[in-house]
Amino acid sequence: MSKENFIKSAAILGAAGFIVKILGAIYRIPLTSLIGTEGMGHYQPAYNIYNLLLTVSLAGFPTAIAKMVSERRALGDYQGAYQVYKVSRWGLFIIGLLSSIFIFLFARQLVTFLGYPGSYYSMLALVPALFAVPLLSSYRGFFQGTQNMMPIALSQIVEQLFRISIGYFLAYKLVDIGLEKAAAGATFGASVGGIAALILIAAIFMTDKKDIRREIETSTLNREENAWNIVKNLLYIAIPITIGASIAPLMGVFDSYFVSSRLSFLGYTTEQITDLYGQLSGTAQTLINFPQVFSTAVAMSLVPAITEAYAKHNNNKLNLTSNTGVRLSLIIGLPCGIGMYMLATPIIALLYSSLGPEKHATSGGLLEVLSIGVIFLTVVQAFTAILQSVDKPFHPVKNLALGLVVKIILSYVLIGMPSINIKGAAISSTGAYLAVALLNLYDINRITPIKINIIKITAKPLLSTAVMAAVVWISFRLFKTVISSQGICTLGAITLAGIAYAICLLLTGAITSEDLDLIPKGEKLKKFVRK
């Protein structure tokens, strides 16, 4: 494949992923306004279990399938590539069948163990998704291996569109019957989305079947492999990826468990616990997803640049690119974290006006803590990309596992303290991200030729963020003296702070001309900046 086509394919998949993440992040806002924090408290525990099961069963398989398909096609073994797809499809069919049966039979026991019996219907609503999505991933892995990203991108967008539209529609129709049923309607959107995406990508696959057969028939390098060898190779590639990807869903499951058990220990009722957990997962944590959309894009763009420099043993470029990537992550994380910290309660009130002042204050307190974690999380993503790019993929996995231990210990201790209670979950998440960031930084400086100069790359973004924070503080209070609407005051302060931050980035040199070259349409941005 030519370099131009490769870039085009990567851009298609990247754009689709960006759209999917934005839609998913935005979806939580109207859904929370519709079913409230108590409804989200029924919705999220089921989703945590669902995400964990999907991650354990699927996280590494599309990548493993793509790698094995790509390798065989590169050798002209089109029959072998197709055989990898067939074996993986049957394997993932069995995984999907077993996991869906497991949840169907033990859904009530699982949600009761976690302390959220009201999530039972939400858990059942995800059973079809647990069956459909594994099959969907087998198709995606095959198309990725053939470097045809368009079917993957289309299926991702269709899956998300069906998920949010059907989920919100059913939640709206069922909200008058009860919050448990409304939350189940919202989760059922994931099942409809998975089935719709599966139908679409299977149809595309069938239209391409003639071309696949033609490649197999015309190749003289085809060979038949033992199915068990294919399975072993798939597992060898998939298991390390799966371990690393399972840490984040595990944090979500432990969050729901410790919130329930430790608040019960303090004497909270089931309804109070569900409502507080909904405030944590449905309001505060939802807003944390927005900065991740951009920091994830930076981390993904780092990988090929660092990999190329590492392969060529160009240590100067390796260090320059790595430090630039961390700096760009801080340029995203610092203003988002500090800005959300300063305007936490007004932002919650602006986006979730129906919750009322009391919940605005509680959710705002949770967002204050989590917003500091945003800074560490964006840096963790950059550090992880760096370690993966220099052939150290197990180190970020190890560090994430240690971060999970920190999360568990802090959650158990802090949530059980009456003066902290639900805030303990937010504090433990922030502490875990800080621990992982420090461990990753230590590993980068210790075992790679890269040296991250934190003081140097932090200084200018931190100065720009300080100016932005001053603008937020002053403008919000000035607006409140002349405007009665707090929502308008909040939007005005955010707008002025954003403008001030952008200007400071340029004046201090925190953003350079070379940095803009790394951004899509960077040349147009440079022309705008010059003007």
Side-chain angles (χ1 to χ4, degrees), residues 418-432:
S419 60
I420 298 178
N421 57 77
I422 188 67
K423 272 192 177 181
I427 295 170
S428 66
S429 293
T430 299

Side-chain angles (χ1 to χ4, degrees), residues 121-449:
Y121 295 112
S122 295
M123 197 72 257
L124 284 183
L126 290 166
V127 167
L130 285 167
F131 177 73
V133 175
L135 283 173
L136 175 61
S137 72
S138 66
Y139 287 104
R140 285 175 173 168
F142 178 79
F143 279 118
Q144 186 180 349
T146 62
Q147 297 183 332
N148 182 5
M149 305 302 182
M150 186 60 76
I152 304 172
L154 291 174
S155 69
Q156 288 176 342
I157 293 171
V158 166
E159 181 181 8
Q160 189 73 311
L161 287 174
F162 272 85
R163 183 177 83 87
I164 64 179
S165 59
I166 298 299
Y168 188 83
F169 173 77
L170 291 175
Y172 177 79
K173 288 293 184 181
L174 296 171
V175 71
D176 292 332
I177 300 174
L179 291 177
E180 293 181 18
K181 304 290 196 311
T187 57
F188 189 68
S191 292
V192 177
I195 293 169
L198 176 60
I199 292 171
L200 173 67
I201 204 166
I204 295 172
F205 181 83
M206 293 304 295
T207 60
D208 290 353
K209 200 75 175 287
K210 289 183 179 179
D211 293 333
I212 295 170
R213 286 174 178 165
R214 188 181 303 112
E215 287 178 335
I216 294 171
E217 291 169 359
T218 56
S219 177
T220 59
L221 300 173
N222 294 323
R223 65 188 186 91
E224 193 75 17
E225 285 187 74
N226 182 280
W228 180 239
N229 287 336
I230 293 176
V231 172
K232 287 193 294 184
N233 288 332
L234 282 168
L235 292 174
Y236 179 78
I237 299 169
I239 287 175
I241 299 171
T242 300
I243 293 172
S246 299
I247 303 297
L250 271 173
M251 283 189 177
V253 172
F254 279 119
D255 245 350
S256 58
Y257 174 74
F258 282 118
V259 166
S260 173
S261 63
R262 300 302 284 161
L263 290 183
S264 293
F265 170 77
L266 294 178
Y268 285 76
T269 66
T270 301
E271 290 75 19
Q272 289 173 321
I273 293 169
T274 303
D275 185 62
L276 285 171
Y277 184 66
Q279 291 182 51
L280 174 70
S281 61
T283 57
Q285 285 184 343
T286 297
L287 296 175
I288 303 305
N289 292 333
F290 283 97
Q292 287 187 64
V293 172
F294 302 100
S295 58
T296 300
V298 170
M300 290 176 65
S301 67
L302 272 177
V303 174
I306 295 175
T307 301
E308 180 183 0
Y310 181 70
K312 294 179 178 179
H313 303 288
N314 187 340
N315 286 347
N316 287 333
K317 185 177 180 182
L318 189 62
N319 273 278
L320 179 62
T321 306
S322 300
N323 279 271
T324 298
V326 178
R327 177 166 49 81
L328 289 176
S329 295
L330 285 167
I331 285 171
I332 296 167
L334 279 170
C336 290
I338 300 302
M340 284 194 291
Y341 175 82
M342 296 182 70
L343 295 174
T345 299
I347 289 172
I348 293 288
L350 173 66
L351 297 176
Y352 304 100
S353 58
S354 62
L355 297 182
E358 185 179 343
K359 290 185 179 180
H360 290 161
T362 308
S363 298
L366 293 170
L367 181 58
E368 283 181 356
V369 179
L370 287 171
S371 62
I372 302 302
V374 168
I375 301 170
F376 306 130
L377 179 57
T378 54
V379 173
V380 165
Q381 290 174 318
F383 287 160
T384 300
I386 291 169
L387 286 167
Q388 289 174 340
S389 301
V390 295
D391 294 333
K392 305 294 182 185
F394 284 99
H395 286 272
V397 172
K398 172 206 68 177
N399 295 336
L400 280 168
L402 292 172
L404 178 60
V405 173
V406 171
K407 166 79 176 172
I408 291 171
I409 295 171
L410 289 178
S411 291
Y412 183 84
V413 173
L414 296 176
I415 298 174
M417 297 174 68
S419 60
I420 298 178
N421 57 77
I422 188 67
K423 272 192 177 181
I427 295 170
S428 66
S429 293
T430 299
Y433 295 141
L434 172 60
V436 177
L438 292 175
L439 288 168
N440 278 350
L441 176 61
Y442 175 75
D443 282 344
I444 290 171
N445 287 331
R446 180 177 63 90
I447 61 174
T448 75

